[in-house]
Amino acid sequence: MSNKDEVRLIVDGKRLDGRAFDELRPIKIKVGVLKRADGSCYLEMGKNKVVVAVYGPREVHPRHLQDPVKAVVRYRYNMAPFSVEERKRPGPDRRSVEISKVSREALEAIVMKELFPRSGIDVFVEVLQADAGSRTACLNAASVALVDAGVPMKGMISSVAVAKVDGELVLDPMKEEDFYGEADMPFAFFIRNDRIESIALLQMDGRVTKDEFIKAVKMAKDGAMRIYKMQKEAIKSKYVVESEEEVD
Ligand code: UDP
């Protein structure tokens, strides 16, 4: 790709993929895709394709990692070498360690850890294809996979980024917007009883004004609520079908 200043990301009031500024990429969610995991989810958010497996609550190994009063949540974000344009070296790197840490902290806001002393809840996240916002796609999938695993939770996590491109704030940036934009802010919200309770993750690259930041939070909240509805629908559709099958 060429020089940042030469790339126009907004043409005739539309984004390069034709979306409005406050429009999400298409989202697909499938619950319970892996037989051997306690809970799982496959999710697409635009060109991002991710799969999450949840195990637990189960005994923690090595044992010295156990917490006598609550469960330990572990989150491993992994990018497949073939998931990006330029092959990624397999294995953990600084970026995946950072994403795993902030994502785990976001999920810790919802998991009722105190119910499972000495246990572990493991969340394995595989990015099969990435196109910016992969950490947000993974958190949305992880939240659904935790529900599928039957892990008791106080609510859900719904996550989306806002970027500033060509001076405009845009929801759920794709790769070109992330790469050439002026700012990128991934958000994750803790949603309880169908309303936003708090911000569980907020990161920021680049610069925005105070007014832009306030507007970005509002845009992200609106987007996250739409994602939350899709997460709920996906969970319902699995369990409604399963219970109908049981009746037959
Ligand atoms: N990316 C890449 N190679 C890498 C890491 C990232 O091509 O080793 C791409 C990938 O499409 C990713 C995007 O850059 O989604 C933005 O990465 P960032 O670190 O901002 O995280 P994300 O937006 O995916 O959460």
Side-chain angles (χ1 to χ4, degrees):
M1 293 188 184
S2 54
N3 193 324
K4 273 191 174 197
D5 299 330
E6 292 168 9
V7 181
R8 283 185 65 205
L9 296 164
I10 293 176
V11 180
D12 298 331
K14 287 259 173 186
R15 297 159 74 177
L16 293 185
D17 57 3
R19 275 186 294 159
F21 297 166
D22 61 352
E23 197 176 333
L24 293 167
R25 290 175 285 186
I27 293 181
K28 253 196 224 168
I29 309 176
K30 203 158 171 11
V31 189
V33 289
L34 303 173
K35 272 213 153 40
R36 277 175 217 106
D38 294 322
S40 58
C41 177
Y42 169 77
L43 186 144
E44 292 181 9
M45 200 167 165
K47 292 183 200 150
N48 290 295
K49 297 185 177 184
V50 307
V51 64
V52 175
V54 168
Y55 294 85
R58 63 180 181 180
E59 197 174 355
V60 177
H61 290 288
R63 281 196 158 178
H64 67 85
L65 293 179
Q66 289 183 354
D67 185 326
V69 294
K70 58 182 188 303
V72 173
V73 178
R74 293 184 287 194
Y75 188 101
R76 195 200 64 184
Y77 168 101
N78 183 53
M79 217 173 202
F82 52 80
S83 66
V84 282
E85 235 163 274
E86 199 172 305
R87 180 184 181 275
K88 189 207 157 279
R89 251 184 95 191
D93 53 16
R94 279 178 59 157
R95 177 177 171 276
S96 65
V97 170
E98 173 226 309
I99 293 178
S100 299
K101 177 185 183 285
V102 294
S103 305
R104 170 179 54 75
E105 287 169 350
L107 290 178
E108 280 180 331
I110 56 166
V111 172
M112 298 173 85
K113 297 182 292 179
E114 58 288 354
L115 297 179
F116 303 99
R118 299 189 189 284
S119 328
I121 297 164
D122 290 311
V123 184
F124 295 105
V125 177
E126 299 291 329
V127 178
L128 308 176
Q129 189 170 285
D131 191 67
S134 66
R135 76 194 66 198
T136 65
C138 291
L139 268 173
N140 292 328
S143 188
V144 171
L146 281 163
V147 174
D148 187 40
V151 172
M153 306 211 285
K154 296 176 212 159
M156 289 286 282
I157 290 288
S158 302
S159 178
V160 69
V162 174
K164 184 175 168 186
V165 301
D166 289 359
E168 300 283 352
L169 292 175
V170 295
L171 185 66
D172 191 19
M174 52 163 172
K175 179 80 194 302
E176 291 76 4
E177 292 169 332
D178 179 69
F179 197 81
Y180 295 112
E182 295 125 65
D184 178 31
M185 290 165 272
F187 288 86
F189 297 96
F190 166 22
I191 302 178
R192 182 181 359 218
N193 297 333
D194 296 343
R195 43 180 296 275
I196 290 178
E197 184 90 9
S198 59
I199 297 177
L201 175 146
L202 166 57
Q203 297 184 283
M204 181 151 152
D205 281 335
R207 259 193 221 185
V208 291
T209 64
K210 186 177 158 198
D211 287 348
E212 283 168 341
F213 180 72
I214 292 166
K215 192 175 164 202
V217 174
K218 187 176 178 323
M219 259 179 133
K221 279 181 162 180
D222 291 347
M225 283 310 291
R226 275 177 263 154
I227 294 171
Y228 169 69
K229 289 196 182 98
M230 291 183 239
Q231 290 170 302
K232 266 190 17 179
E233 280 311 312
I235 293 162
K236 270 194 211 158
S237 64
K238 177 186 172 190
Y239 289 98
V240 168
V241 172
E242 276 188 2
S243 53
E244 278 170 3
E245 278 167 1
E246 274 163 26
V247 172
D248 290 342

